Amino acid sequence: MLTKSLRREGKLLGGCTFFAKDGCGHIETVYVSPDVRGTGIAKVILNYIFRYFLAYDLNIARLEVWELNTRAAGLYRSLGFTEVEQRTMFPGFTL
């Protein structure tokens, strides 16, 4: 698993974790700091991941996104991701 962060002038803008398994690139997390959301940082992070995958001949990328995270799901669709399986996920709760 690889973890990368994106910083500008020492300020954390976002980051990601990803890995390769069975000849496929898997995106585990993409994080964008709340104060820079909507500025294109997520696309910068995802393009970094895609370049990494291609450098290692990984031509398929997979990820999971919570269905209620419509903003992220829209971004992934705009980049060419398609839904292959739908699962019901429940928000967490505090015990």
Side-chain angles (χ1 to χ4, degrees):
M1 175 121 19
L2 295 166
T3 301
K4 297 291 180 184
S5 60
L6 177 63
R7 297 177 180 274
R8 184 183 307 140
E9 298 175 4
K11 179 181 176 183
L12 179 65
L13 302 178
C16 57
T17 55
F18 55 96
F19 61 95
K21 181 179 177 185
D22 300 326
C24 179
H26 294 264
I27 300 171
E28 182 73 19
T29 59
V30 174
Y31 170 76
V32 176
S33 296
D35 56 327
V36 294
R37 289 182 184 156
T39 64
I41 296 300
K43 284 185 180 179
V44 171
I45 293 168
L46 287 163
N47 282 321
Y48 171 85
I49 296 170
F50 297 154
R51 285 190 306 273
Y52 179 91
F53 288 165
L54 290 172
Y56 288 91
D57 294 323
L58 302 169
N59 297 319
I60 298 172
R62 295 190 178 175
L63 57 78
E64 292 182 15
V65 62
W66 188 25
E67 66 187 68
L68 295 179
N69 191 348
T70 56
R71 190 173 191 170
L75 170 65
Y76 300 139
R77 279 189 199 96
S78 77
L79 293 170
F81 283 92
T82 58
E83 187 175 300
V84 294
E85 180 180 338
Q86 186 175 11
R87 295 187 210 176
T88 302
M89 297 185 72
F90 299 93
F93 63 95
T94 303
L95 294 175

